[in-house]
Each structure stands twice: as C-alpha cells, then as structure tokens.
Amino acid sequence: MFKKILIANRGEIACRIIKTARKMGIKTVAVCSEADRDAMHVEMADEFVMIGPAPSALSYLNMDRIIEACKETGAEAVHPGYGFLSERAEFPELLKQAGITFIGPSARAISALGDKIESKRLAAAAGVSTVPGFMGVIESPQHAITIAEEIGYPVMIKASAGGGGKGIRIVNGPEEMAENFKLARSEAANSFADDRIFVEKYITNPRHIEIQILGDKHGNIIHLGERECSIQRRNQKVIEEAPSVLLDEETRQKMADQAIALAKAVDYDSAGTVEFVAGQDKSFYFLEMNTRLQVEHPVTEMITGVDLVEQMIRIAYGEKLSYAQSDIHFKGWAIESRIYAEDPTRNFLPSTGRLTIYREPESDVNADGVTVRTDSGVEEGGEISVYYDPMIAKLITHAPTRLEAIQAQRQALDSLAIEGVRPNIAFLAALMNHPRWLSGELSTNLLAEEFPEGYKPALPEGDMARQFIAIAVAAEHVHNQRKREVSKSIRPAGALKVEQNRVAILGKQSYSVKVEERQQTLLISIDGEPVRVISAWQPGNPVWAGHIDRDVVFAQIRPVLNGSRVMHGGCSADIVIYRASAAKLMRFMPERQDNTSSKQVVCPMPGLVKSVFVTEGVEVKQGDPLCIVEAMKMENILRSERDGTIAKIFAREGDSLAVDAEILEFTA
Ligand code: ADP
Ligand code: ADP
Ligand code: MG
C-alpha cells in the first residue's frame, strides 16, 4: 500500500480523506494557500506544503506546484477530492509523467465523460437512455428553435462543458429562445472558457437520482445503489438522501445496469457517479457522469458501510475490488444537509467571516440505531473566506427509516451552533418540517415552488410556541439560580422552590407562567397547562438540550434583554419574561408548598442509574447527592430536597428507570 499520499484539496473533503488515510496507516500531506495556513486540513495532516497565494488559480489549481510538493515530501499518490483539479484530464497525465499515482479514474475516462455532448453520445451508444434532443453543438437560436419544435417545449439549453449548475436555461417557447440562447452561451464562455451549448427536452417536475459506481483496474465494476438529490436551489444540490423514495427494486436495477454499462464502455475505474433526471412516472434519462468523489458520497457510505475513499485508494494502488455486487447490502436511510455560509433571509447571499462560535452536534450511534456524522473542515475561531466554496460542513444522519433520519436531522440542525457568519441552518430546519419533503413528493422545483420569496424564520405557534416558552423560562430559572448562588444574598439554592409567577411574551401574545422545581425537574405551567422540563443547560452554552414532556428537544439559545432568543425547527422568537409586579406577586403567591415533606424520591426522567450514594439508615442533609441518573448522554445528580433518614432504597446501579419510578424513601 502507499506509504504517503498528498491531498490536493481543502476544507471538509481534505479532512475526510485524511481520516481514511490515517485509518489505513498512510501518511498524509496537505497543501494549502496562504489564506489556509491555519486551516483544519493543514492541522490534521502529518505534514503540509504551502503552494501559493489565496486565489485558487494560484494555489489549489496550480498543477506544477502540487507535483513539486509531491516530490518534496515523497508523496506517492494524490487524491484530488471534488472540485478543483478532480475533473481535469491533464492532471493525471502530468502526475503520471512524474511517476505519481492519481487516486481517481484514467485521464481518458475523465476527458471522455467530462464533456456533456460527448458523454451523451457515449451513453446512447452504450444503451443508456438519454434525454431527447440534438446530440451536437447548436450554433444559432434558429437551429435551437428547429430542434425544440421537433422534441417539443419546454427545452433546456446546456453548456457542454458545464458543471455546478452553471450555463443552464429553460426555454418555454420560441419567443424565449433568442435571449436565453445568448445568455447560456455567454455564461458558458465566461464560466468554462468554452461556449458550446446544446439543447434537450426539459423533463417537467423532475427528480435527480444518481448511481454510485466503483470499478477497479481489473475490469470489475459494481454499483452501490442510488442517491436522490432532488432538493436543489438553482440546479445545485442542498439535501441528498439514500435510498430514493421514488425507486422500486426494478427501476433501481435498470438504472444501475445502465450506469454500469456506461462505466464499462470507458473502462472506468475508481469511484464515479452516473446522474439521471427522472420523471415522477419513474422514467429516467442520463444527465452526466461525474468522474470523482461526490460531495454527497457519505449517504451511500452510511447505507452500505463501504468507505468510498478507502476503496478509491485501494483501486488506485491496483488492488482488486474487495466487494462483489452480492456483498453490497443497503441498510436504513441516510440524509445529508449541506451547511452553507449563505444567509437564507437575504436571498442566500454568501456570508464570510470568522466563526466566533462553532459547535457540532454530538457524533455517535445511539440506542435506536441512529448515527449522526458531521463532515467539516473548520473549527471555532476559523475563517470562512471569500476565496473558496461557502460550504462549511455536511450533517449526515442515518437511521432505520426515512422519518427517523429526518428526525435526527432536525435534532442535528438544532444543535449545530454557528456564529460569525450567517449559515443556512434555519432554512434547512424549516425544510425538514415541510410536508412535501416529509411526504417524499420531491422535485428539483420544490424549493422554488415552496419558498418563492426565499426564507424568513417564522414565529412558532401552538405546541411549538409552548416549547419555546418552556425553554426560555427554564433558561431564566437557571440564570436566577446562578444569580442567587453568586450573591448568596438570599437563601441557599434549593430552598427557593416556591412557585414563581411570570409573564412571558412571545410575539404579540403574553402567557402567564409559573415555575416549580422538583428534583431537577421544572414543572412549568403556561396559561395553566403543565409542561415538565429537564435540562442540564448552563448559561453560555449556545445549544439548549433537554426533555420537554416526552420530547427530546435541542434549540439554539442566545441571551436578549430580559429573556432569550430561541431558534428551533426553522422558527425563531425572542421571548421576554417579566415578573408580575411585586404587589401582584404577593397577592397571587400561593402558600409555599412544602414538597420537601414528601417521603419518596422518584426518578424525574427515564434514565439509567449510574450510582447510588446513600445506604439505608443513613442521615442526609438537604442538598446532599443521592444518586446519578444518566439520560440524554448527560449525568444528572439527584440531590436531596430535605433533611432526613433514608428508610429504603429501591433503585440499584444499572437499573433502567421510567419517569416517576421510586428511587428511595425517607423514614418520615
Ligand atoms: P451540472 O454539470 O451543472 O451538474 P447537470 O447536467 O448534472 O449539470 O444538471 C444539473 C441539474 O439540472 C440536474 O440535477 C437537474 O436538476 C437539472 N437538469 C439537467 N438537465 C435537465 C433536463 N433535461 N430536464 C430537467 N432538469 C434537468
Ligand atoms: P456534486 O454534489 O454532484 O458532487 P456539485 O456540483 O454540487 O457536485 O459540487 C461539486 C462542485 O462544487 C465542483 O465541481 C465545484 O464546482 C464546486 N466545488 C466543490 N468544492 C469546491 C471547492 N473546495 N472550491 C471551489 N469549488 C468547489
Ligand atoms: Mg450534475
């Protein structure tokens, strides 16, 4: 196996490749521009080489300099990631001349498939179904109109050298042709220095579905199923998932057979993706083949358990595929959200700056078989610069079912804290709650149709509003307790368990609120309706996590004057909390309820008993720790609310307890 490889990329994909290389025992060399000296991929790699100034053209796209860096460091192979040099056929050629291996397909496959007109011809010859249209360069608007009349409007004008959704225009009738023809052509010339354009039928209400391919240098090619990437903004993917809601086994097989046929036609090796546009009737047509690792590859990794980067490295080294088609099985559902530094409230304007707060959701597998994976290339204090892609991170969730994967996305999005740039998180969170997304009735037009005016966070309503208030009230309770502890001016903490009357204001509505604390549980009444809250949140943490009644809730929380700004599920609200006036407070304050007289200590949340600190017959004082119950990956210490003697202990270490299960009893 290679001893050392160089990663000719930056950001999350460079970090992701380094992780796999490390797992395989391969040393890594990062390259960086002057703007990326402190970037995470540089820090993660075993060594790094500075290859030039910030602009990509002078650094990450500088092939000679990258080859020099390989020679300086003794790197035997180069992984290009995606973007940058990943689809430049000259790059593997130059590497080859220098005796360095390219971790990707052959230069021949890249150039054959890199051009949309050429690859469409190739695909058609290999028996792949292609979008009706003219498979050649269209020279004039008149020519385009003739073709459009043959295939029927609407049609799409596309740049043959296109990529990243650029150089694409929809034309609905002959009167729109001249203008769009001109625009598409100049966009193609500007973006790709190649103004060849072609015309094909526009598949209405389409879905984007693609097949992941893996091939080795010995003629073996397998597929790893599909990904659906229909959630797009301006022909750019935003959310991807695997498998696709649309496909049945038969269609999946047909699509995969065609993808493999195309890959075979060009002796494809390495990882690659064959993209299709699909009608709602499950008809499908070839779009293009991407001859590289794709941004959304993690969803495939999650449902197949195959590490695509590892396979690419092994294939490049010359190994035979270690999987046969029959070894590939699909398990569960995976969803990926792309976190962009783009302000959804300002028409997705890119937003650059320093990440003053950057906290990722916890990544791990929980008991319900839910996995959260964050692929990122930044850390707190890092910079999102104007020079590169605005993608900050990818949140990937995997669960047994689509709904569970969506639920995990909601939680992951709500617990990803970013400040300093304006990310698209709230927009993604709103989308996760959107009925059309939930139903799986997707199309590449969904975002344009459902969010025509862009996106403004909504005020929460109904149950969601109650949750927001509960969070703000619970946060205020913690603040107040802290203040009391700090000043020690009032009675010691724990003694003030009386109900406190408050008025919470959310939007134009005010709610009367009461709070009572009982064994780490806050019993909050909102306009008379009880809500039970458990949380270990502490001031300063940008993410509030806790139980609200039966739900596990994550939310963003920031202090505002007299209250909190809470963001959750794509909604956002400032909640201010006032004490009812002193006189009123006196009048309404109920008699202090002495819940310390209760003999029993019950479990305030479903959880696991980690330790019990007391034994029968022991005397305890108010505030003494009784036991630890673990819930939501947090250890919660239950303290005695009173002085007394322990009569009986019912719970033991290792017990799983339900809410209100009895833990122990006092003598009287
Ligand atoms: P790029 O190289 O920019 O990714 P693609 O050919 O893959 O270009 O097209 C990008 C997106 O545009 C697709 O994901 C799909 O949403 C849309 N698209 C492309 N061709 C068609 C078509 N003929 N009909 C409908 N939508 C299309
Ligand atoms: P896919 O999602 O199908 O892999 P996309 O077109 O959405 O493809 O994303 C890959 C494209 O994004 C690249 O072709 C490139 O245009 C752009 N891109 C990706 N990474 C970078 C990067 N680090 N810097 C600049 N552009 C990038
Ligand atoms: Mg594409």
Side-chain angles (χ1 to χ4, degrees):
M1 185 39 64
F2 301 118
K3 294 202 169 48
K4 195 190 269 189
I5 64 172
L6 181 145
I7 295 98
N9 213 304
R10 62 181 303 282
E12 67 89 14
I13 196 63
C15 296
R16 190 254 163 278
I17 294 163
I18 291 169
K19 273 187 202 150
T20 287
R22 179 177 297 159
K23 183 183 84 182
M24 297 172 72
I26 301 170
K27 292 256 181 280
T28 53
V29 181
V31 292
C32 72
S33 71
E34 283 163 15
D36 275 342
R37 216 185 288 251
D38 299 321
M40 194 154 129
H41 74 282
V42 174
E43 198 174 296
M44 272 178 75
D46 295 303
E47 50 191 310
F48 77 96
V49 179
M50 173 94 75
I51 50 169
S56 307
L58 304 175
S59 48
Y60 296 104
L61 292 172
N62 186 340
M63 299 189 215
D64 293 337
R65 186 66 190 98
I66 289 170
I67 289 169
E68 242 174 72
C70 290
K71 290 181 178 157
E72 282 166 27
T73 56
E76 302 144 80
V78 174
H79 197 304
Y82 54 72
F84 296 128
L85 297 172
S86 61
E87 291 178 285
R88 297 274 191 94
E90 316 96 276
F91 190 44
E93 298 274 16
L94 286 176
L95 285 171
K96 198 170 177 182
Q97 286 164 24
I100 301 161
T101 306
F102 179 66
I103 303 173
S106 66
R108 203 171 64 83
I110 295 175
S111 55
L113 296 165
D115 186 81
K116 286 195 204 293
I117 295 176
E118 282 314 308
S119 70
K120 199 171 165 182
R121 284 192 185 134
L122 246 166
V128 177
S129 73
T130 54
V131 188
F134 178 71
M135 279 191 241
V137 181
I138 306 271
E139 298 291 358
S140 68
Q142 198 45 52
H143 187 190
I145 287 173
T146 313
I147 303 294
E149 254 139 40
E150 277 168 31
I151 56 180
Y153 287 98
V155 298
M156 205 170 213
I157 308 179
K158 292 167 88 170
S160 191
K166 289 204 192 78
I168 292 181
R169 299 213 99 83
I170 300 168
V171 181
N172 293 299
E175 68 289 351
E176 294 178 10
M177 189 62 86
E179 162 104 4
N180 282 299
F181 186 90
K182 214 175 81 197
L183 287 172
R185 197 150 148 171
S186 70
E187 198 172 317
N190 291 335
S191 305
F192 314 112
D194 178 345
D195 71 353
R196 290 171 308 131
I197 55 175
F198 66 109
V199 171
E200 65 186 21
K201 181 141 188 75
Y202 176 68
I203 309 298
T204 43
N205 205 21
R207 301 171 77 127
H208 175 117
I209 299 176
E210 56 189 35
I211 302 281
Q212 176 70 51
I213 292 292
L214 265 185
D216 64 17
K217 295 184 190 295
H218 309 276
N220 304 303
I221 299 183
I222 60 167
H223 75 89
L224 280 77
E226 81 280 7
R227 295 184 283 260
E228 173 151 11
C229 320
S230 295
I231 305 298
Q232 303 186 351
R233 209 176 61 79
R234 302 200 182 137
N235 301 314
Q236 286 229 49
K237 299 160 188 167
V238 178
I239 291 174
E240 306 95 355
E241 62 185 309
S244 156
V245 184
L246 184 74
L247 293 199
D248 50 46
E249 197 45 51
E250 193 193 333
T251 316
R252 172 175 300 120
Q253 194 57 52
K254 268 199 254 168
M255 216 180 233
D257 287 346
Q258 294 199 4
I260 289 176
L262 175 59
K264 287 215 157 119
V266 291
D267 289 327
Y268 196 86
D269 73 288
S270 193
T273 299
V274 181
E275 297 190 331
F276 295 93
V277 58
Q280 300 293 337
D281 60 358
K282 297 181 192 160
S283 60
F284 61 87
Y285 310 92
F286 170 74
L287 275 181
E288 63 166 340
M289 180 158 181
N290 289 326
T291 53
R292 56 174 161 87
L293 188 65
Q294 207 110 345
V295 175
E296 59 274 21
H297 75 278
V299 293
T300 299
E301 295 187 321
M302 300 300 264
I303 66 159
T304 59
V306 176
D307 180 333
L308 284 166
V309 172
E310 177 183 341
Q311 295 309 310
M312 289 178 83
I313 294 172
R314 293 190 181 286
I315 290 164
Y317 191 71
E319 286 185 14
K320 278 197 179 148
L321 269 186
S322 43
Y323 299 95
Q325 190 63 59
S326 56
D327 297 327
I328 304 298
H329 302 287
F330 306 116
K331 189 164 160 254
W333 210 282
I335 298 175
E336 174 182 282
S337 295
R338 299 189 188 191
I339 312 298
Y340 284 111
E342 289 177 347
D343 187 350
T345 65
R346 293 188 199 163
N347 204 18
F348 298 93
L349 212 70
S351 163
T352 57
R354 191 165 292 286
L355 294 165
T356 52
I357 293 179
Y358 181 77
R359 314 266 168 91
E360 293 179 353
E362 255 185 74
S363 290
D364 76 67
V365 187
N366 75 19
D368 307 324
V370 177
T371 309
V372 179
R373 164 175 165 182
T374 310
D375 280 16
S376 69
V378 294
E379 54 201 341
E380 202 162 274
E383 181 100 23
I384 303 296
S385 84
V386 294
Y387 296 107
Y388 314 112
D389 206 81
M391 195 171 79
I392 305 172
K394 306 184 300 203
L395 280 187
I396 306 111
T397 56
H398 180 239
T401 64
R402 184 169 190 264
L403 265 184
E404 289 161 300
I406 291 174
Q407 178 53 24
Q409 275 288 332
R410 288 182 182 140
Q411 286 191 2
L413 287 163
D414 279 332
S415 43
L416 172 64
I418 296 180
E419 293 266 309
V421 300
R422 292 159 166 276
N424 63 339
I425 299 173
F427 167 67
L428 295 168
L431 193 62
M432 285 298 152
N433 287 320
H434 196 282
R436 236 181 104 185
W437 158 252
L438 290 171
S439 73
E441 284 159 37
L442 312 183
S443 109
T444 57
N445 301 324
L446 188 147
L447 291 188
E449 285 166 7
E450 304 295 333
F451 299 87
E453 306 293 320
Y455 165 77
K456 292 256 178 302
L459 277 181
E461 290 170 10
D463 282 351
M464 179 98 101
R466 276 165 22 99
Q467 284 194 341
F468 273 57
I469 291 167
I471 292 168
V473 169
E476 199 221 26
H477 185 80
V478 176
H479 272 293
N480 287 345
Q481 229 168 16
R482 241 217 202 164
K483 271 190 234 157
R484 280 197 294 273
E485 275 165 26
V486 170
S487 68
K488 294 216 166 81
S489 61
I490 316 182
R491 286 163 285 188
L496 246 162
K497 302 252 159 36
V498 288
E499 292 190 359
Q500 301 171 341
N501 290 339
R502 294 274 198 279
V503 175
I505 300 170
L506 189 167
K508 289 194 168 59
Q509 198 131 347
S510 47
Y511 301 80
S512 79
V513 175
K514 288 186 205 168
V515 193
E516 186 189 340
E517 183 177 347
R518 232 162 73 189
Q519 295 164 6
Q520 329 267 309
T521 304
L522 286 186
L523 302 175
I524 301 174
S525 138
I526 302 172
D527 278 351
E529 277 195 67
V531 181
R532 186 197 275 257
V533 177
I534 302 160
S535 170
W537 178 81
Q538 286 298 312
N541 191 339
V543 177
W544 187 94
H547 287 267
I548 301 182
D549 290 330
R550 298 196 168 278
D551 298 326
V552 175
V553 177
F554 292 85
Q556 300 290 317
I557 187 163
R558 305 286 184 272
V560 296
L561 191 63
N562 293 319
S564 301
R565 171 165 305 155
V566 178
M567 290 161 282
H568 164 75
C571 294
S572 170
D574 286 3
I575 296 132
V576 291
I577 299 164
Y578 295 112
R579 255 163 219 268
S581 76
K584 250 177 158 179
L585 195 69
M586 289 307 197
R587 199 143 48 86
F588 288 118
M589 183 96 80
E591 286 292 306
R592 185 178 168 204
Q593 291 211 341
D594 198 359
N595 47 34
T596 58
S597 65
S598 162
K599 267 173 69 175
Q600 286 155 352
V601 173
V602 298
C603 192
M605 67 215 121
L608 180 75
V609 180
K610 295 290 279 199
S611 24
V612 179
F613 299 121
V614 291
T615 46
E616 290 177 3
V618 156
E619 263 189 46
V620 296
K621 296 246 169 278
Q622 185 191 53
D624 283 352
L626 299 175
C627 65
I628 293 181
V629 177
E630 189 194 58
M632 279 180 68
K633 300 166 200 152
M634 293 182 300
E635 294 201 336
N636 306 280
I637 301 175
L638 297 197
R639 293 177 186 280
S640 181
E641 309 235 317
R642 50 171 283 184
D643 300 348
T645 306
I646 310 282
K648 254 200 162 83
I649 297 178
F650 303 101
R652 276 182 310 189
E653 248 173 66
D655 283 359
S656 279
L657 298 186
V659 181
D660 290 338
E662 214 175 349
I663 294 176
L664 55 80
E665 215 172 63
F666 286 93
T667 46

